[in-house]
Amino acid sequence: MNAVIFDLDGVICFTDQYHYLAWKEMADEIGVYFDETINNRLRGVSRMDSLNIILEKSDKAYTHEQKEALAAKKNAIYVKLLEQMSPADLSDEVKTTLDALRAKGLKLAIGSSSKNTKMILKQIGLGDYFDAISDGTNIVNSKPDPEVFLKAAEFLSEDPKDCLVVEDALAGIEAAVRGGFKSAGLGEAATHEKVTYPMETFRDLLRIV
Ligand code: BG6
Ligand code: MG
């Protein structure tokens, strides 16, 4: 293994609650039912795909422009919430494990669907930490398409077979498998039938690589 590519939300830090609050405010404004169970389905899914899942509960047809406006409204609320994040939102376990992986000579990268990746990394004090960042701003197809991880490998000049993808979402493991990567899964992702290494906690990575 030469490199490790990390998903961001749910792996390096936890933004689920901020996504939930922002989508909830938007959904309430248009009178569409939304709860934590629906929010769980949005893990790893792009912003527009997430909105489409939320609008399954609406009987109204929205135009592309209206959807763009709703997604922008959610994002404005979300970004405002992200401003509360600080280095205190990076756990000691994650930071010491990342440092130990780096000390082993591995290249470290991010592979996230989020267009807010760079802001989040800056907020938690990892703005300059990774060797490469592939995120929602450099892809056309979101997970389970492998594009975001293939781009990360390309940015690192590594072959997918020499990279480990770390994920918390089923769609992320699917993307890793399709791209020819080995994968390590946390939470729900540990239950994917094709995950290479199911994990219980982040520091398990030190036993894997
Ligand atoms: C992923 C999250 O990391 O990013 C998803 O798991 C989210 O829930 C997606 O929808 C897109 O995020 P953003 O920040 O571009 O709206
Ligand atoms: Mg995730």
Side-chain angles (χ1 to χ4, degrees):
M1 210 89 71
N2 296 340
V4 187
I5 303 171
F6 299 89
D7 172 50
L8 178 66
D9 295 309
V11 170
I12 299 292
C13 62
F14 297 90
T15 49
D16 263 23
Q17 195 56 19
Y18 299 134
H19 278 296
Y20 172 76
L21 291 171
W23 282 126
K24 178 74 178 149
E25 192 171 327
M26 185 224 72
D28 284 350
E29 265 184 51
I30 58 169
V32 171
Y33 179 79
F34 181 67
D35 64 15
E36 298 264 4
T37 310
I38 302 171
N39 194 55
N40 287 340
R41 288 175 59 202
L42 311 182
R43 210 165 281 145
V45 175
S46 74
R47 195 180 306 166
M48 198 41 86
D49 291 347
S50 298
L51 177 62
N52 284 326
I53 290 173
I54 291 166
L55 293 180
E56 285 172 7
K57 290 275 182 227
S58 167
D59 32 28
K60 193 178 155 205
Y62 289 88
T63 64
H64 182 70
E65 286 69 29
Q66 287 170 323
K67 285 188 190 177
E68 290 285 357
L70 290 174
K73 176 174 287 186
K74 180 266 177 175
N75 193 55
I77 303 165
Y78 179 60
V79 166
K80 198 86 200 122
L81 292 167
L82 290 179
E83 284 171 6
Q84 303 170 25
M85 291 187 89
S86 73
D89 290 293
L90 176 66
S91 73
D92 282 346
E93 178 182 0
V94 169
K95 185 61 171 61
T96 53
T97 305
L98 288 172
D99 288 345
L101 293 170
R102 170 150 291 160
K104 284 178 186 243
L106 290 154
K107 294 182 192 170
L108 307 179
I110 291 287
S112 166
S113 307
S114 174
K115 292 183 174 158
N116 294 302
T117 294
K118 294 186 182 80
M119 173 182 180
I120 295 169
L121 289 173
K122 196 159 167 241
Q123 291 295 112
I124 62 174
L126 293 181
D128 299 318
Y129 190 86
F130 291 93
D131 300 302
I133 296 173
S134 171
D135 66 18
T137 65
N138 62 253
I139 55 168
V140 177
N141 305 299
S142 201
K143 300 170 192 175
D145 189 283
E147 186 178 359
V148 76
F149 296 136
L150 291 172
K151 277 269 181 287
E154 187 187 316
F155 295 160
L156 293 171
S157 306
E158 292 292 342
D159 195 286
K161 70 170 171 26
D162 299 318
C163 303
L164 177 73
V165 164
V166 186
E167 262 292 347
D168 71 314
L170 295 173
I173 299 295
E174 190 62 37
V177 171
R178 287 195 208 171
F181 296 87
K182 291 193 186 70
S183 63
L186 282 165
E188 198 181 20
T191 68
H192 194 290
E193 59 173 7
K194 291 186 183 150
V195 71
T196 322
Y197 306 103
M199 295 195 295
E200 274 174 22
T201 181
F202 195 84
R203 75 171 72 81
D204 289 349
L205 283 171
L206 298 175
R207 291 193 283 103
I208 295 170
V209 296

